[in-house]
Amino acid sequence: MAVERVAGGRSIDWEDVHRRLAGWAASLERGWVPDEETTRRILHRRGLELAKPPVLEDAGDILEFMEFTVGQERYGFETAAVVEVLALNGLTAVPKAPPFIAGLTTVRGQVLPLVHLGRLLDLGPVPPADLRRVVVLGQAQAPGQGGGALGLLVTSIVGVSRTPRARLQAPPSVVTGRQRHYLAGVLPPHLALLDAQRLLADPDLIVVGGPAARPG
């Protein structure tokens, strides 16, 4: 039952108000004319009904993100930064690349650098055989510039979710190093949201030089 407290401790049963208004409206349609006291009560109740604040469905700023796993850890990116998700199909090593550069792959004729996200974030051993999905990040490029895309090797894709952005919390102080640098925030209870633009702008993730082929 929808009951509301007003000044003076009185309560208003809005369902009863609606029933009474509907009954009086039906009586008026049949030609019934209320007396002065009844008219006063009708006008008073109609005033209460009009004064009742409307119920607004205001979700605020919504965060839409794609969730995935790397080993046993849960991460996410805002969906606006995700170009596509692919199955890993072949990998070419890059000589003298840091350990977190997994290599290169080709997507529709374009070379895509691949990052081993587990090594980049110092998550500990994640078997290469478990990293068979590629999350492709991208950003707009100025005319005449190429590239701007980066592939991240992950374990599995969980799906896309939406939540109020106000739920996003600042990274905890115990998180340090690369994890803190790439972390946009934390969504309780266990999801870390990564900053795609920081990854795309990081010069350490730019692959320079010719690849050395190896079976994928």
Side-chain angles (χ1 to χ4, degrees):
M1 180 180 296
V3 176
E4 180 178 333
R5 295 284 177 183
V6 296
R10 295 182 297 106
S11 62
I12 300 175
D13 184 342
W14 290 108
E15 292 182 1
D16 182 61
V17 170
H18 294 160
R19 285 194 300 269
R20 289 174 182 271
L21 287 175
W24 286 329
S27 297
L28 288 172
E29 287 293 328
R30 293 194 298 268
W32 172 72
V33 180
D35 58 29
E36 183 177 344
E37 177 61 21
T38 302
T39 300
R40 186 189 65 78
R41 290 201 304 269
I42 291 174
L43 294 176
H44 175 68
R45 290 185 180 274
R46 284 180 178 174
L48 290 176
E49 178 69 12
L50 292 173
K52 184 181 179 182
V55 178
L56 300 178
E57 188 174 342
D58 183 6
D61 190 11
I62 296 298
L63 171 66
E64 185 179 83
F65 61 95
M66 189 195 73
E67 180 181 347
F68 58 91
T69 64
V70 181
Q72 301 300 313
E73 303 297 326
R74 295 170 54 196
Y75 288 94
F77 284 114
E78 291 200 49
T79 54
V82 178
V83 176
E84 59 184 325
V85 176
L86 308 168
L88 180 61
N89 184 21
L91 185 64
T92 301
V94 178
K96 301 180 181 179
F100 49 78
I101 298 296
L104 304 172
T105 192
T106 302
V107 179
R108 292 183 291 277
Q110 300 296 316
V111 175
L112 180 71
L114 296 177
V115 171
H116 192 304
L117 197 55
R119 293 173 184 165
L120 181 68
L121 301 178
D122 299 319
L123 300 182
V126 180
D130 290 350
L131 302 174
R132 306 303 300 177
R133 295 288 181 269
V134 180
V135 176
V136 182
L137 305 179
Q139 62 185 358
Q141 296 294 306
Q145 290 185 349
L150 184 68
L152 305 173
L153 296 179
V154 305
T155 302
S156 66
I157 306 299
V158 178
V160 174
S161 301
R162 303 173 82 243
T163 190
R165 190 174 291 274
R167 288 192 63 227
L168 187 65
Q169 299 178 359
S173 58
V174 295
V175 178
T176 59
R178 283 201 183 96
Q179 284 207 46
R180 188 169 190 86
H181 175 69
Y182 296 125
L183 200 57
V186 176
L187 286 171
H190 303 302
L191 186 136
L193 189 72
L194 297 174
D195 189 323
Q197 299 309 316
R198 285 187 179 179
L199 285 160
L200 288 164
D202 192 334
D204 290 341
L205 305 184
I206 297 175
V207 177
V208 180
R214 75 177 170 111

